[in-house]
């Protein structure tokens, strides 16, 4: 614990920890036990679940979307993004946010090309 001043509660917690540590050390010495850190492999299923969660967002080819549909598409993706964030799927929400940015860039290009003509 770190503090500028040691409170009564901190002193009690530290002394209790030290008391338990002494008991554990005596037990380990009496029974010739050398404590070791545990070593666990990362389970493949957890890694696969994370990959699956990230790949749920389908990529949209916006080059085939008519320019007048881009606004509706942004609204649909924003709903999906907000729902993902509410469900604590922040990686998925970030992917939706990136899609929205790409679509807005496409919209700006369309608007700019119409102004030039």
């Amino acid at each position: 614990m770190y503090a500028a001043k040691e409170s009564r509660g901190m002193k009690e917690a530290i002394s209790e920890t030290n008391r338990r540590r002494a008991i554990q050390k005596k037990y380990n010495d009496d029974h010739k036990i050398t404590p070791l850190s545990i070593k666990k492999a990362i389970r493949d299923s957890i890694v696969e679940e994370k990959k699956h969660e990230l790949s749920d967002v389908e990529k949209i080819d916006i080059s085939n979307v008519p320019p007048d549909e881009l606004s509706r598409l942004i609204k649909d993706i924003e709903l999906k993004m907000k729902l993902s964030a509410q469900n604590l799927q922040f990686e998925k929400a970030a992917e939706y946010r990136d899609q929205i940015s790409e679509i807005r860039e496409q919209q700006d290009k369309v608007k700019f090309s119409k102004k030039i003509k």
Side-chain angles (χ1 to χ4, degrees), residues 13-111:
I14 292 168
S15 65
E16 178 63 16
T17 300
N18 290 334
R19 184 186 73 79
R20 290 180 183 186
R21 185 176 290 136
I23 293 169
Q24 186 68 53
K25 181 161 178 28
K26 182 179 181 326
Y27 179 86
N28 290 348
D29 291 343
D30 292 346
H31 293 89
K32 296 181 175 86
I33 296 173
T34 305
L36 298 172
S37 295
I38 63 167
K39 294 177 183 164
K40 276 182 139 179
I42 296 174
R43 290 184 286 155
D44 292 335
S45 61
I46 294 173
V47 174
E48 289 301 318
E49 286 175 20
K50 290 292 182 188
K51 286 181 184 176
H52 180 68
E53 284 179 16
L54 293 176
S55 65
D56 283 348
V57 177
E58 66 180 63
K59 298 293 179 189
I60 299 171
D61 184 16
I62 52 178
S63 62
N64 297 330
V65 177
D68 54 330
E69 288 290 313
L70 292 176
S71 295
R72 184 193 60 76
L73 185 59
I74 288 173
K75 287 180 185 176
D76 288 345
I77 295 174
E78 280 178 343
L79 287 174
K80 290 179 184 179
M81 178 183 70
K82 290 176 183 175
L83 182 64
S84 296
Q86 287 175 352
N87 291 329
L88 306 178
Q89 297 172 325
F90 300 114
E91 293 89 1
K92 197 184 241 187
E95 287 187 46
Y96 284 128
R97 180 203 59 212
D98 295 343
Q99 280 187 354
I100 291 169
S101 296
E102 290 176 21
I103 295 170
R104 287 198 172 127
E105 285 177 19
Q106 181 72 18
Q107 261 185 327
D108 291 343
K109 287 178 186 176
V110 169
K111 287 178 184 177

